[in-house]
Amino acid sequence: AAFSALGAMLLAGGVRSAHAVAFALSDQSPSAVATSFAGVAATAEDPSTFFFNPAGMAYLGGVQTESVYSYLKPQAEFNNNRSEYSFGAPISGSNGGGGARGASIGTSFLTARVLDSDKFGQLAVGIGASVPFGLAVDYDPGWVGRYDSLHSELRTADYGFSLAYKFKFISIGAGFDAQYASAVLTQAIDFGLIGFAAGIPGFAPGKQDGILRIEGSDVSYGFNLGTIIEYLQPGWIPGLGVGKLGVSYRSSVSQNLTGEVTFRNVPQPYASSPAFRGQQGSAELNLPETYHFSIAQDFLKHFTLLGDLTWTRWGRLSSIPITFDNPLSQASLVSDPGLTRPGIATNYQDAFRYTGGLEYRLLNDNLTLRVGAGYDESPIKSSASRDTRVPDGDRILVSTGLRYHVLDYNTPFLIHARVSTDIELAYLHEFVNDPQINRVDTAGHLVRGSYDADVNVVSASIIFRYGPQESAPRPKESKDAKDRSK
């Protein structure tokens, strides 16, 4: 029981966000959400390119900032289907009251062009704060899967710095990130089952529950790289404008989550056992790297076709090694089969996301409408590998949104500059292929059932641009790279 509890904590230390497949969050800006994340490594329309592809910063003139707020509301209602003990008796409890809960995400980005030369190219720098992973799942205390999970929460924050350089039709970018991660987990321990198996009078399965709480944190580091290549220029092919290919890479981040392990409601004779006393625990959590392959093609002056293939190396997280500070607790653990060290086998596999989108610019390019759709694979391929902290499955994405240019003027007096402001709004719905679960822990609890699951996301941002004053009216914000680089 102690092993299964710590193993679950470590899984929660990096597993499921309040929304995205497994635990990665792509909801870093409305422009990405509105197109179901299509073209995110190629468009370079706003400062959120800092997160998706740092090379895009070289396309942004002057100083630009973007402040983003997103709200994610998942639904994951569990339907029990004969969850039972290994000896056949049913596990008592409710369906859990709905596991996943809503969560808000705030991100901010700032970019600045520091060199703008026809001869030497464009150089830009940027800083940003993003939320690449997250977890928010709660169940009722007496639910049928309480021995698998009760409360799970993961918070991460990335703080980064990036550089981008563009010359002619090619831009490159690179960045460095410091990532803070913290996790909190609780779950029940079936001391009634433990005592019943040991023949202790008065103990019965499901009747003497204790509670395990574990919290841990760490700071680690990663990097990102990217490039954008303009493979087509306006006028080369009638009806087609600029075409861009974007490729980006965000590295894996290895976290060593370390924190306090505490037990509550431990009955005698187990309350006096060192195995259930407060101690420290740690886990090696390898958060996966991500590759984006994107395309953005302008056509018929007002339209842009977008596409994206995202490859996330979830296989890096196929197992999570575990360490207790208390050697007596460590010696009592039973590791998952096939592992050379004590720990938990997640059996995650690499996964892909395929998305497409369309943008339409009207009202002199002051209003941009967006739509998108896609298919997002889950790294969890079987019901036996899925746990209640990650009620995750393959999903279909459908989204829409807009950008509206609300302000544009040249400042008077001594400081001669052009100031402009955009607002962006987006909505995304995810149809989750109702996940099945058929999971047994080392103590003999089989959680069996299915989830009715879907996700709703709303996102909004304000973009502020400050650049050199222009004598002529603001140029149209088409995706022509020549216009954008001015």
Side-chain angles (χ1 to χ4, degrees):
F3 170 74
S4 62
L6 184 59
M9 165 264 177
L10 300 174
L11 188 58
V15 285
R16 171 89 173 135
S17 73
H19 135 65
V21 162
F23 61 90
L25 288 173
S26 296
D27 313 272
Q28 305 298 320
S29 77
S31 59
V33 172
T35 60
S36 296
F37 317 109
V40 290
T43 49
E45 294 181 321
D46 54 55
S48 68
T49 189
F50 174 93
F51 179 86
F52 295 105
N53 187 349
M57 296 189 304
Y59 284 85
L60 306 179
V63 177
Q64 302 195 19
T65 67
E66 182 173 11
S67 300
V68 183
Y69 174 83
S70 299
Y71 182 75
L72 296 72
K73 179 56 179 174
Q75 173 183 299
E77 298 287 343
F78 181 71
N79 301 303
N80 184 30
N81 182 21
R82 296 183 295 109
S83 296
E84 60 187 13
Y85 291 95
S86 57
F87 50 84
I91 300 175
S92 64
S94 68
N95 279 351
R101 60 179 170 87
S104 59
I105 297 174
T107 58
S108 298
F109 309 100
L110 182 150
T111 65
R113 181 177 286 176
V114 296
L115 173 66
D116 189 357
S117 168
D118 292 337
K119 182 178 181 180
F120 298 107
Q122 290 78 39
L123 178 67
V125 299
I127 57 174
S130 57
V131 184
F133 306 105
L135 171 69
V137 179
D138 284 298
Y139 294 98
D140 294 339
W143 88 291
V144 70
R146 60 192 178 276
Y147 306 118
D148 193 54
S149 70
L150 286 173
H151 169 73
S152 305
E153 183 173 323
L154 170 70
R155 296 179 181 270
T156 65
D158 268 28
Y159 302 96
F161 172 80
S162 294
L163 289 169
Y165 174 71
K166 179 178 180 291
F167 186 74
K168 302 299 183 181
F169 305 138
I170 299 177
S171 63
I172 58 175
F176 171 80
D177 298 289
Q179 183 184 101
Y180 170 78
S182 65
V184 178
L185 164 86
T186 66
Q187 72 178 70
I189 302 176
D190 195 348
F191 285 108
L193 175 63
I194 298 172
F196 177 78
I200 301 177
F203 280 76
K207 300 301 183 181
Q208 287 93 357
D209 287 351
I211 299 295
L212 170 71
R213 176 186 172 90
I214 305 181
E215 50 188 326
S217 62
D218 192 22
V219 176
S220 194
Y221 306 94
F223 65 94
N224 54 89
L225 304 169
T227 185
I228 295 177
I229 300 173
E230 298 176 17
Y231 64 86
L232 190 65
Q233 292 297 306
W236 288 7
I237 299 178
L240 297 183
V242 65
K244 299 196 293 293
L245 291 173
V247 179
S248 66
Y249 166 81
R250 291 187 69 86
S251 74
S252 62
V253 178
S254 297
Q255 297 280 4
N256 185 33
L257 297 176
T258 301
E260 296 295 324
V261 180
T262 57
F263 299 90
R264 291 191 293 111
N265 303 331
V266 182
Q268 290 293 352
Y270 299 104
S272 58
S273 170
F276 298 106
R277 292 177 184 172
Q279 57 189 281
Q280 285 198 321
S282 64
E284 298 175 18
L285 188 68
N286 295 316
L287 303 179
E289 67 263 41
T290 301
Y291 298 82
H292 285 283
F293 305 90
S294 296
I295 186 170
Q297 177 62 62
D298 285 4
F299 67 99
L300 299 180
K301 294 184 179 180
H302 298 289
F303 295 89
T304 301
L305 186 64
L306 306 169
D308 183 82
L309 170 65
T310 300
W311 177 28
T312 305
R313 301 296 306 275
W314 289 114
R316 306 292 194 196
L317 195 62
S318 61
S319 66
I320 304 173
I322 299 170
T323 302
F324 272 115
D325 278 0
N326 188 327
L328 294 177
S329 296
Q330 188 72 40
S332 69
L333 302 183
V334 179
S335 183
D336 279 357
L339 298 182
T340 58
R341 296 175 57 185
I344 186 167
T346 66
N347 298 311
Y348 279 11
Q349 299 179 31
D350 291 358
F352 292 88
R353 182 176 64 207
Y354 314 87
T355 60
L358 182 69
E359 293 187 346
Y360 173 48
R361 296 173 296 281
L362 64 162
L363 299 181
N364 293 323
D365 287 356
N366 286 321
L367 176 64
T368 301
L369 304 180
R370 300 179 172 117
V371 294
Y375 181 75
D376 205 355
E377 294 180 345
S378 170
I380 305 169
K381 305 303 182 182
S382 73
S383 59
S385 298
R386 185 174 292 110
D387 74 3
T388 59
R389 303 184 192 282
V390 194
D392 188 35
D394 297 344
R395 57 193 66 196
I396 295 174
L397 315 180
V398 179
S399 60
T400 188
L402 60 85
R403 178 185 65 200
Y404 184 65
H405 188 73
V406 296
L407 178 67
D408 190 357
Y409 69 96
N410 289 330
T411 59
F413 310 119
L414 298 178
I415 302 176
H416 298 289
R418 179 174 66 87
V419 177
S420 64
T421 303
D422 292 352
I423 59 171
E424 292 191 338
L425 302 172
Y427 169 74
L428 169 69
H429 184 79
E430 303 185 6
F431 300 90
V432 183
N433 182 18
D434 294 343
Q436 305 290 317
I437 186 168
N438 190 27
R439 178 180 177 85
V440 62
D441 64 20
T442 54
H445 303 98
L446 171 62
V447 181
R448 182 164 48 206
S450 63
Y451 283 87
D452 296 328
D454 61 18
V455 182
N456 290 287
V457 181
V458 293
S459 183
S461 74
I462 182 168
I463 301 170
F464 176 80
R465 298 183 175 94
Y466 180 91
Q469 190 176 77
E470 298 179 354
S471 57
R474 172 178 174 266
K476 294 181 180 181
E477 287 197 13
S478 72
K479 300 214 172 177
D480 189 317
K482 180 178 179 181
D483 287 343
R484 199 190 314 280
S485 65
K486 290 180 178 181

